[in-house]
């Protein structure tokens, strides 16, 4: 998670300037949108937009067709669609203009330069959302969801972010909190009304309530793992000896799944990442340099990197050359991946003999083994099936809530669960109810932090620090 | 009358009394204006001081240098610590008091005050110049020039008493209400509301068969409220417990249409936590019986107060119903129960100093702020007086926050959240409850009392000495070790071998400080409160430390101050509702802003962002 930044990077929101930024991910998709927000958004847009209407007043929320021109030279940069949003009914709550371009990064960059020359300022990461929040357009959980939505790398992810934007996570937490506060009421009653002949709840009943809430919280906590995958992708590292066929498998998978999302060549390290969309979830494949036993320093650094990479992975594909069998380096690899989630892929099924493959299967000593051929595609379907069933099967898992849980949520949920456990322990130890109540109160506060019902300063800066530009 | 007073205290009830005493001790010249000097310090309802969470208030008043604890100890005839089977945070002291003695001691305390004039009159109007209070005007026509005034009118403003269909203008039975003042205040712009409270019948003890009831004795030894009461307290009376029954409920149900609570005659809102007997019978119809406590009114009287039987039913119905109760077959009334309806001023109209936002130098304290109970009233009287005197002397406001005292919790609740029924203190209102205990009230507040000039030097030094001894004793327990082999087997939960420190032993639930001498024969425990403080601090160390960590967190938002006169209209993005509420409540800091009902986390975040971004997080400002 990024370091929280002080809020003053956004300047004085009481006296806002006009900001602009690219609202769509760079280098993706058919169109690119530039958003302009602030008191000078309308006049600035009128200056650069040449369409049927000279003035944008009275045209709020209408899509207008025209050219985006450089006012200096009057040369049209692109044919665009322009949508003005008059304040306060806009994303940020200020005057907003959105320009839809034909997506070329060069054109978008040039358009930004023109707007900046016209008096706008390039938006800081998260600044649009900050302004939306500042103008009361969205609350905290919604603000985070926007970040997730824009960042969403697949449909599943977009759906979850959208649900959160609609406030469902908030509702769920609020219900839990209400249940908790009801239980707290039972305890408080016995402390404050000792002399009344009231019937107090029994320890068991209070314990049941605490445990039921703790369970529901862990359902939400579990969603974190999925959320992380939904947001950042399931990280699969491909490892194996240099000539085992890692790269062919890598290329085969990428070629097979056409919906490549992004491509980040690992220039600073010996790994190559690719995003692939599998069953609606982003999967990040990382190709490693491979393990080779050597005394040379450079190679050692490479191995360290590989080890780091392994610990950041959700899953490891260990590619073994079926026609050769396990090498000494493979045994090294085997040591490395022990106790990590991994599957052995016995490659080159097209050239290896049945006997060789059987021998290999015995030697790899892993629970999950699939025989494949990266050359012919044999076994790849089976691999994808295995992958979706075992690692991306969230839709049918009812123990996991359909929300995007980010790290801030997770910390608060875990803290709440810890307090519930302490409360339960106090209950079991027959501590007086006010001690049990102490931790229940704390648990309720933790839940409140998620929905922003209690908002320490650091929550805010943490949230706004995690935005990317243009949202 | 040409005299000028620093402070006029209007009303001689529990709020007024503490206010007069504090203001006078702080050196102000004070006029106490009360309709009936013989009724100063009267206990309108039950003959007891303290009780759950109220005991905490009394201890806090005592620590700050107020008088209620001393008075209750002197007039006390039975002492009891409630909730003793629970943890120390919810232990609450209560004393049954002799009603007449209490009044006499209050009267004596007030009459001995220097620079204080008692005026028997009733205030009917106030004069305001440039938004500032300048004079009070009495029924007899006097115009008294004052620097400031504390209005502590109790249940007397436009008060009506109901017993059955009979309603009489009165503040208490046989006492004239104050008519006109609340209308004048309303004309000045104050919002006035209406609340209701009730009191049960007083009965003649000679007509009771106590053999059919359960005796409720006091604690042995009894414990005083005040650190100033040097052990001169005694249990001299007993309380009795009996229960209502179906026959009693039947009589009430048959006559329910004669209750002014149910036939629409009473419009004020009553307290949910202290329902009348007719309320209990109707709303909790499934309960076949309710507890009744008979409390003695005093030593030289047979009168008893029937706690739990508050009622505004006609006298004949009350009597018939009560006669169905075991032990009360021949009961005779000294006075029936009644309900009283009165004006109050929704307390969100006050600053946390209890000064009104509308009129400078006018303070409100006690039941007119929508509270209920002697202790709640007394605490407000004390705080209003300290603030009134401080302001006259250009000293900073005295505000206790929610982590420092129940008094802080109460006043914050009143001025931030307001009330929708008579407000009484509960321990559950205090989120920092594990820290706000009776045993450490002096530790929390004596320093403040001393700085206000209410705690004399000698007492302040004694307080310092007490906590030095507590610390020394804690150290001694930490150092003194005892071999586990010599520890009696009944303390089974001890598993450690070798030797353990005495403080280690004290953490075992069933081992108490006074037992340590029995375990380690070389150890002599200290008698009294020091040993108790040591035991609480060691036994509950884990929770206490966690509570203190919470308080640290709480203080962060509390320390982000909102500048006085901050204009919310300039803040963009604020919801209209939030803007209206912030402007009306005028929170002092971000923490208080967040506690306003209907304010969301987003509103507060927005406010914080705005204060932060525009660099307007101001220095500590005067209220």
């Amino acid at each position: 998670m990024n370091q929280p930044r002080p809020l003053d990077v956004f300047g004085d929101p009481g006296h806002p300037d006009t900001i602009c930024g690219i609202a769509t991910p760079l280098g993706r998709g058919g169109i690119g949108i530039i958003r302009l927000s602030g008191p000078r958004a309308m006049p600035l847009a009128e200056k650069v937009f040449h369409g049927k209407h000279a003035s944008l007043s009275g045209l709020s929320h209408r899509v207008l067709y025209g050219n985006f021109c450089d006012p200096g030279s009057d040369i049209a940069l692109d044919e665009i669609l322009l949508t003005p949003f008059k304040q306060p009914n806009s994303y940020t709550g200020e005057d907003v203009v959105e320009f839809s371009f034909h997506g070329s990064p060069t054109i978008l960059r040039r358009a930004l330069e023109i707007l900046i020359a016209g008096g706008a300022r390039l938006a800081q990461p998260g600044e649009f959302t900050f302004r939306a929040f500042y103008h009361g357009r969205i609350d905290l959980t919604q603000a985070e969801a926007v970040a997730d939505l824009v960042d969403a790398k697949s449909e599943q992810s977009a759906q979850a972010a959208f649900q959160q934007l609609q406030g469902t996570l908030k509702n769920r937490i609020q219900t839990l909190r209400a249940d908790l506060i009801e239980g707290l009421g039972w305890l408080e009653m016995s402390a404050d009304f000792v002399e009344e002949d009231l019937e107090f709840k029994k320890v068991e009943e209070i314990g049941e309530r605490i445990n039921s809430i703790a369970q529901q919280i862990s359902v939400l906590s579990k969603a974190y793992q999925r959320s992380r995958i939904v947001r950042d992708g399931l990280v699969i590292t491909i490892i194996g000896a240099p000539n085992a066929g890692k790269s062919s498998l890598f290329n085969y998978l990428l070629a097979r799944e056409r919906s490549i999302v992004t491509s980040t060549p690992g220039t600073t390290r010996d790994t190559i990442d690719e995003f692939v969309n599998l069953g609606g979830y982003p999967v990040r494949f990382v190709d490693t340099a491979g393990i080779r036993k050597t005394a040379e320093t450079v190679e050692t650094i490479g191995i360290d990197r590989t080890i780091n990479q392994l610990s950041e992975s959700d899953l490891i594909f260990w590619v073994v050359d079926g026609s050769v069998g396990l090498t000494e380096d493979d045994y090294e690899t085997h040591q490395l991946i022990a106790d990590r989630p991994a599957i052995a892929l016995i490659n080159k099924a097209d050239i290896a003999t049945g006997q060789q493959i059987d021998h290999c299967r015995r030697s790899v000593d892993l629970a999950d083994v699939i025989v494949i051929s990266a050359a012919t595609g044999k076994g790849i379907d089976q691999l994808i099936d295995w992958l979706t069933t075992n690692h991306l099967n969230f839709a049918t898992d009812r123990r996991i809530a359909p929300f995007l849980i980010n790290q801030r949520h997770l910390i608060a949920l875990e803290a709440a669960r810890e307090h519930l456990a302490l409360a339960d322990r106090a209950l079991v130890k027959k501590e007086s109810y006010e001690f049990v109540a102490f931790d229940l109160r704390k648990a309720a506060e933790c839940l409140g932090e998620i929905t922003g019902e209690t908002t320490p300063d650091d929550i805010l800066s943490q949230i706004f620090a995690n935005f990317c530009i243009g949202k | 009358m040409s005299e000028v007073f620093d402070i006029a205290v209007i009303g001689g009830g529990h709020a007024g009394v503490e206010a007069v005493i504090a203001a006078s001790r702080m050196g102000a010249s004070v006029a106490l204006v009360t309709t009936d000097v013989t009724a100063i310090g009267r206990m309108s309802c039950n003959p007891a001081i303290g009780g759950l969470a109220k005991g905490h208030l009394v201890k806090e008043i005592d620590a700050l240098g107020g008088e209620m604890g001393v008075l209750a100890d002197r007039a006390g005839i039975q002492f009891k610590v409630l909730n003793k089977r629970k943890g120390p945070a919810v232990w609450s002291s209560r004393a049954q008091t002799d009603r007449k003695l209490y009044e006499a001691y209050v009267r004596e305390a007030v009459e001995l005050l220097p620079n204080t004039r008692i005026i028997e009159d009733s205030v009917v109007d106030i004069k305001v110049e440039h938004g500032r209070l300048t004079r009070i005007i009495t029924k007899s026509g006097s115009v008294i020039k004052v620097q400031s005034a504390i209005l502590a009118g109790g249940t007397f403003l436009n008060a009506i008493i109901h017993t059955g269909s009979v309603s009489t203008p009165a503040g208490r039975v046989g006492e004239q209400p104050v008519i006109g003042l609340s209308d004048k205040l309303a004309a000045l712009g104050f919002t006035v509301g209406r609340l209701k409270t009730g009191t049960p019948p007083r009965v003649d003890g000679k007509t009771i068969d106590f053999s059919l009831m359960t005796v409720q004795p006091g604690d042995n030894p009894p414990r005083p409220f005040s650190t100033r009461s040097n052990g001169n307290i005694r249990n001299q009376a007993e309380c009795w417990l009996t229960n209502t029954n179906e026959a009693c409920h039947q009589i009430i149900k048959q006559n329910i249409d004669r209750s002014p609570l149910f036939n629409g005659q009473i419009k004020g809102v009553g307290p949910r936590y202290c329902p009348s007997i007719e309320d209990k019978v109707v709303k909790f119809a499934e309960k076949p019986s309710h507890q009744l406590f008979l409390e003695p009114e005093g030593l030289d009287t047979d009168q008893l107060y029937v706690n739990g039987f508050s009622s505004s039913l006609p006298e004949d119905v009350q009597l018939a119903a009560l006669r169905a109760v075991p032990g009360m077959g021949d009961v005779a009334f000294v006075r029936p129960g009644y309900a009283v309806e009165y004006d109050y001023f929704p307390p969100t109209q006050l600053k946390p100093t209890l000064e009104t936002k509308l009129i400078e130098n006018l303070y409100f304290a006690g039941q007119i702020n929508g509270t209920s109970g002697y202790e709640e009233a007394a605490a407000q009287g004390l705080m209003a007086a300290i603030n009134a005197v401080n302001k006259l002397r250009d000293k900073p406001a005295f505000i206790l926050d929610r982590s420092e005292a129940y008094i802080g919790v109460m006043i914050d609740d009143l001025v931030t959240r307001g009330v929708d029924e008579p407000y009484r203190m509960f321990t559950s209102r205090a989120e920092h409850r594990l820290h706000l205990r009776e045993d450490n009230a002096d530790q929390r507040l004596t320093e403040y009392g001393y700085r206000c000039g209410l705690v004399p030097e000698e007492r302040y030094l004694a307080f310092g000495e007490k906590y030095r001894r507590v610390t020394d004793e804690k150290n001694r327990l930490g150092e003194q070790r005892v071999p586990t082999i010599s520890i009696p087997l009944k303390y089974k939960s001890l598993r450690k071998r070798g030797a353990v420190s005495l403080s280690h032993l004290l953490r075992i639930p069933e081992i108490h400080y006074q037992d340590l001498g029995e375990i380690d024969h070389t150890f002599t425990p200290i008698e009294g409160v020091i040993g108790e403080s040591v035991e609480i601090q060691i036994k509950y160390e884990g929770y206490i430390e966690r509570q203190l960590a919470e308080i640290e967190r709480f203080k962060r938002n509390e320390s982000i101050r909102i500048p006085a006169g901050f204009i919310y209209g300039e803040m963009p993005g604020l919801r209209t509702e939030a803007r209206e509420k912030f402007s009306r409540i005028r929170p002092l800091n971000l923490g208080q802003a967040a506690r306003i009902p209907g304010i969301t986390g987003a509103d507060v975040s927005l406010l914080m962002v705005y204060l932060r971004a525009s660099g307007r997080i101001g220095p500590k400002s005067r209220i």
Side-chain angles (χ1 to χ4, degrees):
Chain A
M1 196 180 252
N2 302 344
Q3 277 302 304
R5 294 173 312 148
L7 292 170
D8 6 311
V9 295
F10 298 131
D12 179 358
H15 302 90
D17 45 6
T18 301
I19 53 171
C20 60
I22 300 172
T24 41
L26 273 171
R28 296 187 210 170
I31 56 164
I33 295 174
I34 285 182
R35 185 180 280 155
L36 184 66
S37 176
R40 296 212 3 98
M42 294 296 170
L44 188 50
E46 284 165 4
K47 247 166 76 180
V48 297
F49 182 66
H50 289 192
K52 212 169 88 187
H53 308 273
S55 161
L56 298 177
S57 65
L59 298 173
S60 185
H61 293 77
R62 281 178 56 184
V63 181
L64 311 173
Y65 169 78
N67 283 323
F68 188 101
C69 298
D70 180 350
S73 60
D74 257 358
I75 294 169
L77 190 69
D78 196 3
E79 274 185 348
I80 63 161
L81 293 175
L82 176 145
T83 320
F85 301 90
K86 194 76 191 143
Q87 57 108 352
N89 299 316
S90 70
Y91 177 68
T92 58
E94 302 173 329
D95 280 350
V96 166
V97 178
E98 287 185 359
F99 307 91
S100 302
F101 289 86
H102 285 106
S104 142
T106 329
I107 287 177
L108 291 179
R109 243 191 318 269
R110 180 71 197 116
L112 276 182
E113 281 167 19
I114 290 168
L115 290 172
I116 290 165
R121 170 171 67 76
L122 193 62
Q124 296 278 341
E127 196 165 4
F128 287 108
T129 310
F130 173 78
R131 289 191 178 190
F133 175 73
Y134 181 72
H135 288 111
R137 301 286 296 166
I138 51 174
D139 75 12
L140 278 186
T141 39
Q142 287 170 327
E144 290 174 305
V146 171
D148 289 335
L149 189 59
V150 180
D151 245 0
K153 294 192 170 65
S154 65
E155 314 94 84
Q156 293 278 0
S157 155
Q159 215 174 61
F162 185 70
Q163 276 193 11
Q164 187 161 342
L165 198 55
Q166 300 279 304
T168 50
L169 173 66
K170 191 174 170 180
N171 291 343
R172 176 75 77 93
I173 302 269
Q174 273 170 344
T175 310
L176 279 179
R177 194 159 171 269
D179 285 353
L180 193 52
I181 285 168
E182 191 190 12
L184 197 52
W186 299 341
L187 295 174
E188 297 295 3
M189 200 167 76
S190 84
D192 273 334
F193 296 92
V194 64
E195 289 212 308
E196 323 273 323
D197 46 349
L198 295 166
E199 279 173 37
F200 298 122
K201 293 278 177 185
K202 291 200 183 66
V203 172
E204 295 78 33
E205 209 167 336
I206 293 164
E208 261 170 46
R209 171 62 63 100
I210 293 176
N211 289 321
S212 139
I213 295 168
Q215 233 159 46
Q216 294 180 64
I217 288 179
S218 56
V219 168
L220 287 172
S221 287
K222 270 186 200 140
Y224 173 69
Q225 179 64 4
R226 188 200 66 144
S227 301
R228 196 186 55 71
I229 289 170
V230 162
R231 198 182 301 111
D232 306 333
L234 180 81
V235 180
I236 300 178
T237 299
I238 306 180
I239 194 172
N243 48 2
K246 295 193 306 293
S247 299
S248 342
L249 173 64
F250 187 69
N251 291 331
Y252 188 93
L253 286 169
L254 299 191
R256 185 178 179 279
E257 301 299 324
R258 285 187 191 168
S259 47
I260 294 169
V261 185
T262 55
S263 169
T264 325
T267 45
T268 57
R269 37 172 155 169
D270 308 326
T271 58
I272 301 172
D273 300 27
E274 287 288 353
F275 270 106
V276 169
N277 186 332
L278 278 182
Y281 292 98
V283 175
R284 202 175 114 212
F285 283 108
V286 183
D287 189 8
T288 62
I291 301 282
R292 230 173 322 166
K293 225 182 162 187
T294 168
E296 281 174 53
T297 339
V298 180
E299 289 288 344
T300 317
I301 294 170
I303 289 171
D304 285 348
R305 283 193 188 131
T306 304
I307 291 170
N308 275 342
Q309 179 56 45
L310 289 180
S311 53
E312 283 168 19
S313 307
D314 297 301
L315 180 63
I316 298 161
F317 281 1
W318 177 25
V319 185
V320 175
D321 186 341
S323 65
V324 174
L326 264 57
T327 64
E328 203 174 319
D329 290 340
D330 278 324
Y331 286 106
E332 287 293 314
T333 306
H334 187 255
Q335 299 252 305
L336 280 181
I337 65 173
D339 304 325
R340 298 186 202 277
I343 182 169
L345 303 177
I346 300 173
N347 195 15
K348 305 198 186 171
D350 48 325
I351 54 171
T353 65
Q355 207 180 0
Q356 279 174 318
I357 285 170
D358 284 345
H359 180 73
C360 228
R361 192 192 283 277
R362 280 192 301 275
S363 345
V364 294
D365 188 29
L366 280 187
D368 292 303
V369 180
I370 293 177
V371 179
I372 60 161
S373 165
T376 67
K378 176 184 177 338
I380 302 288
D381 281 341
Q382 197 193 340
L383 173 61
I384 302 286
D385 279 353
W386 177 87
L387 187 63
T388 37
T389 314
N390 291 287
H391 290 270
L392 298 170
N393 190 15
F394 303 114
T396 56
D397 192 341
R398 286 176 178 276
R399 289 166 304 167
I400 299 175
F403 302 115
L404 280 185
I405 304 291
N406 64 25
Q407 201 173 351
R408 181 176 79 80
H409 300 145
L410 183 74
I411 289 169
L413 287 171
E414 288 303 303
R417 210 151 59 120
E418 217 166 281
H419 283 297
L420 289 173
L422 285 170
D424 191 50
R425 204 172 74 187
L427 204 61
V428 171
K429 278 173 70 183
K430 297 199 170 60
E431 298 260 29
S432 182
Y433 276 180
E434 72 274 11
F435 295 110
V436 182
F438 174 75
D439 276 300
L440 287 193
R441 236 174 231 268
K442 291 309 306 160
E445 269 176 42
C446 292
L447 294 183
E449 271 175 24
I450 295 180
T451 53
E453 273 158 285
T454 50
T455 318
D457 191 3
D458 37 328
I459 300 186
L460 263 184
S461 34
Q462 186 70 258
I463 289 170
F464 289 116
N466 282 294
F467 284 111
C468 289
I469 195 158
K471 277 138 218 169
Chain B
M1 198 181 295
S2 59
E3 244 177 310
V4 182
F5 293 94
D6 289 337
I7 292 172
V9 175
I10 305 162
H14 303 282
V17 164
E18 286 295 342
V20 170
I21 293 174
S24 166
R25 282 193 184 146
M26 288 172 81
S29 62
V30 190
L32 170 63
V33 188
T34 172
T35 38
D36 180 358
V37 290
T38 65
I40 291 176
R42 181 156 294 168
M43 308 176 97
S44 318
C45 201
N46 58 331
I49 300 282
L52 290 164
K54 290 165 175 274
H56 291 74
L57 286 172
V58 180
K59 295 259 182 181
E60 290 178 356
I61 291 167
D62 191 58
L64 286 169
E67 210 55 20
M68 181 171 252
V70 173
L71 296 165
D73 285 339
R74 287 181 75 190
I77 54 176
Q78 192 208 52
F79 297 84
K80 201 167 179 168
V81 177
L82 306 174
N83 258 343
K84 196 70 193 186
R85 277 157 53 190
K86 301 202 171 77
V90 293
W91 296 347
S92 293
S93 303
R94 188 184 61 195
Q96 296 298 142
T97 51
D98 181 305
R99 201 184 284 279
K100 273 201 249 158
L101 280 179
Y102 192 85
E103 270 176 41
Y105 291 139
V106 170
R107 178 90 182 265
E108 180 189 296
V110 172
E111 282 178 346
L112 288 174
L113 292 172
N115 311 317
T116 302
R117 171 89 65 87
I118 302 173
I119 300 166
E120 193 171 55
D121 206 334
S122 121
V123 174
V124 291
D125 200 359
I126 58 168
K127 280 281 164 281
V128 179
E129 285 165 30
H130 310 293
R132 190 184 283 228
L133 178 84
T134 55
R135 286 173 176 79
I136 57 173
I137 295 157
T138 69
K139 198 172 173 183
S140 71
S142 311
V143 178
I144 306 170
K145 222 176 149 199
V146 295
Q147 302 264 12
S148 59
I150 298 169
L151 179 60
T155 60
F156 278 71
L157 302 187
N158 288 342
I160 299 174
I161 278 176
H162 303 265
T163 308
S165 57
V166 187
S167 48
T168 328
R172 269 187 298 254
V173 160
E175 295 180 39
Q176 286 302 305
V178 174
I179 305 291
L181 182 57
S182 43
D183 300 333
K184 297 283 187 194
L185 290 170
L188 284 166
F190 286 101
T191 306
V192 186
R194 201 86 174 138
L195 289 174
K196 166 256 163 189
T197 188
T199 192
R202 280 31 162 202
V203 299
D204 183 350
K206 292 191 290 291
T207 63
I208 304 276
D209 181 357
F210 291 108
S211 68
L212 296 173
M213 300 186 178
T214 318
V215 69
Q216 304 271 300
D219 286 347
N220 190 20
R223 302 174 48 125
F225 282 109
S226 177
T227 54
R228 285 170 274 174
S229 305
N230 36 11
N232 278 337
I233 60 165
R234 276 188 303 142
N235 285 323
Q236 306 168 71
E238 273 151 354
C239 296
W240 299 88
L241 171 66
T242 185
N243 288 286
T244 61
N245 52 21
E246 295 286 7
C248 164
H249 294 189
Q250 206 49 46
I251 294 166
I252 292 168
K253 278 182 202 155
Q254 278 161 3
N255 291 283
I256 202 73
D257 54 329
R258 296 175 64 198
S259 163
L261 266 185
F262 286 87
N263 66 14
Q265 187 180 323
I266 291 180
K267 298 199 171 53
V269 183
R272 276 171 306 170
Y273 50 82
C274 184
S276 62
I277 188 70
E278 51 267 38
D279 248 340
K280 292 189 209 177
V281 166
V282 171
K283 290 187 184 149
F284 306 97
E286 72 287 355
K287 282 201 78 170
S289 110
H290 298 280
Q291 290 183 328
L292 299 180
F293 290 93
L294 270 61
E295 303 178 7
E297 292 266 304
L299 292 176
D300 65 350
T301 172
D302 288 317
Q303 283 185 37
L304 292 161
Y305 172 94
V306 189
N307 196 342
F309 204 84
S310 157
S311 178
S312 55
L313 283 161
E315 183 171 353
D316 60 301
V317 181
Q318 289 184 34
L319 191 63
L322 213 46
R323 281 188 171 164
V325 172
M328 299 183 90
D330 299 317
V331 72
F333 276 0
V334 177
R335 195 179 77 199
Y338 61 86
V340 58
E341 260 190 303
Y342 54 95
D343 284 350
Y344 83 106
F345 301 93
T348 49
Q349 302 175 88
L350 302 175
K351 299 175 182 180
T353 55
L354 299 179
E355 187 181 19
T356 65
K357 290 171 185 168
L358 210 52
I359 296 170
E360 206 178 338
N361 294 338
L362 175 64
Y363 296 76
F364 286 174
Q367 215 147 351
I368 59 161
N369 287 339
T371 60
S372 148
Y374 313 144
E375 304 79 1
E376 287 85 348
Q380 292 171 64
L382 175 63
M383 295 299 284
I386 295 173
N387 277 304
V389 177
N390 277 2
K391 184 163 183 187
L392 295 184
R393 294 182 183 156
D394 250 346
K395 286 190 179 164
F398 180 53
I399 298 165
L400 293 167
D401 76 32
R402 300 180 68 91
S403 70
E404 292 177 302
Y406 273 87
I407 297 176
V409 173
M410 171 177 69
I411 294 178
D412 182 62
D413 280 344
L414 293 177
V415 305
T416 311
R417 309 186 64 90
V419 299
D420 39 31
E421 66 181 317
Y423 178 101
R424 76 152 276 186
M425 203 65 236
F426 290 112
T427 73
S428 51
R429 295 196 197 268
E431 62 275 44
H432 308 293
R433 174 169 58 191
L434 300 183
H435 175 62
L436 303 184
R437 303 184 306 273
E438 281 195 3
D439 71 89
N440 68 356
D442 55 349
Q443 200 174 7
R444 291 183 277 121
L445 301 172
T446 305
E447 181 76 39
Y448 288 125
Y450 176 67
R451 276 194 258 150
C452 289
L454 287 172
V455 171
E457 188 77 26
E458 183 193 325
R459 204 177 135 205
Y460 180 63
L461 294 175
F463 150 78
E465 178 57 23
K466 175 187 163 189
Y467 282 96
R468 254 189 306 284
R469 289 185 67 195
V470 169
T471 309
D472 289 349
E473 185 65 357
K474 273 170 71 184
N475 291 340
R476 178 162 78 123
L477 294 187
E479 283 156 15
Q480 191 152 336
R481 298 175 79 80
V482 53
T484 43
I485 195 122
S486 65
I487 296 167
L489 280 174
K490 60 177 172 175
Y491 306 123
K492 286 191 196 92
S493 48
L494 187 74
R495 285 198 206 91
K496 250 181 136 171
R497 283 155 177 267
V500 292
S501 66
L502 291 180
S503 51
H504 181 93
L505 286 179
L506 205 47
R507 291 198 180 88
I508 296 168
E510 54 271 28
I511 297 183
H512 296 286
Y513 174 79
Q514 297 299 338
D515 303 332
L516 292 176
E518 183 196 323
I519 296 171
D520 178 354
H521 297 294
T522 67
F523 179 83
T524 320
I526 307 174
E527 291 293 324
V529 290
I530 293 189
E532 184 183 280
S533 284
V534 168
E535 173 165 346
I536 291 171
Q537 289 187 18
I538 292 179
K539 208 181 261 317
Y540 301 99
E541 192 180 17
Y543 275 106
I544 291 171
E545 273 177 9
R546 289 176 59 205
Q547 182 74 79
L548 291 175
E550 282 312 313
I551 289 174
E552 283 291 303
R553 254 171 67 103
F554 156 82
K555 296 257 190 194
R556 285 215 308 248
N557 268 353
E558 238 36 37
S559 68
I560 301 180
R561 304 192 63 94
I562 301 167
F566 184 81
I567 298 164
Y568 293 93
E570 287 176 359
M571 245 184 82
L574 205 55
R575 294 178 305 128
T576 311
E577 186 195 352
R579 191 188 309 277
E580 185 274 319
K581 284 184 165 155
F582 283 150
S583 308
R584 191 160 51 81
I585 302 294
R586 288 187 235 156
L588 296 187
N589 53 55
L590 212 58
Q592 193 193 350
R595 290 190 293 272
I596 300 171
I599 291 298
T600 68
D603 298 330
V604 179
S605 307
L606 204 56
L607 179 56
M608 171 161 63
V609 167
Y610 187 72
L611 289 169
R612 170 80 33 99
S614 50
R616 294 184 66 172
I617 292 179
K620 200 165 178 155
S621 48
R622 252 183 68 102
I623 312 294

